[in-house]
Amino acid sequence: MRRTLLLALMIAGPGVLEAQDSRAAQVDLCLDAERFIEGVAGMASLTEPDTINDWRTQLVTPGCRVTSAGATRQSPRNLLKSFFDSLQSDAWIRTPEPRDAPNEGSLRFRKGQADCLFSFYDSSVSLNTDAELTVSDAVFRKVGEKLYHFLVLCTPIAPAAP
């Protein structure tokens, strides 16, 4: 029995290690986004591998997501302006995709080897994911502050489909 188990682990081992390496590479795409969310924006976050259906390239791409939460007294409009201004000050560059709309709460930025879509939502919307609940519970809110979120989806840099 032990030999069979050992043999099975030896056979499965490389595949398991490759899967772990692949997931780590996916999460690495989100490192700059995670650093910004936590270090600059001061939000709680959770980063996970994900598969992104990228409408720009018409491909389903291995990528990652950063689910984050914070608390503020600012209006959503002022919060978004401040957030996106800070993002650009941190060397993030708007992607050249012409269909990205500048007056929406979701904007795509590029840094390093990743294109990341930063999507804002407030407490009136909920994704009801374990990640969202985890980061929401990690936020300390003072009186008068409201919970808000950013969901960041990152994929490797790729040109848009024609």
Side-chain angles (χ1 to χ4, degrees):
M1 184 68 161
R2 282 186 183 174
R3 284 186 191 171
T4 304
L5 180 58
L6 183 57
L7 182 59
L9 287 173
M10 288 172 59
I11 292 169
V16 170
L17 292 177
E18 287 172 11
Q20 288 174 341
D21 287 346
S22 174
R23 290 173 64 86
Q26 281 177 259
V27 170
D28 284 351
L29 280 173
C30 282
L31 287 179
D32 284 326
E34 180 183 64
R35 284 185 197 115
F36 176 82
I37 290 287
E38 291 180 359
V40 178
M43 300 173 72
S45 74
L46 182 63
T47 302
E48 304 170 293
D50 198 0
T51 303
I52 313 296
N53 187 356
D54 191 348
W55 59 269
R56 300 168 310 145
T57 60
Q58 304 300 312
L59 298 172
V60 176
T61 308
C64 55
R65 73 174 46 222
V66 179
T67 307
S68 61
T72 188
R73 286 189 174 99
Q74 291 184 11
S75 70
R77 182 183 186 104
N78 290 341
L79 176 68
L80 280 170
K81 181 172 180 358
S82 174
F83 183 90
F84 288 130
D85 286 348
S86 294
L87 199 59
Q88 288 179 314
S89 295
D90 193 51
W92 286 84
I93 301 166
R94 282 293 308 277
T95 59
E97 175 55 53
R99 291 180 284 184
D100 277 350
N103 293 322
E104 294 182 2
S106 295
L107 295 177
R108 190 177 310 277
F109 285 83
R110 178 175 288 172
K111 189 171 187 182
Q113 295 301 310
D115 281 346
C116 299
L117 180 67
F118 290 79
S119 299
F120 168 81
Y121 61 103
D122 63 18
S123 57
S124 66
V125 176
S126 178
L127 302 177
N128 285 323
T129 63
D130 289 339
E132 181 186 66
L133 296 172
T134 299
V135 296
S136 295
D137 287 345
V139 174
F140 175 77
R141 288 187 286 169
K142 296 176 185 170
V143 174
E145 290 184 328
K146 295 180 181 176
L147 197 62
Y148 69 96
H149 300 272
F150 274 92
L151 177 64
V152 185
L153 303 175
C154 298
T155 59
I157 290 176

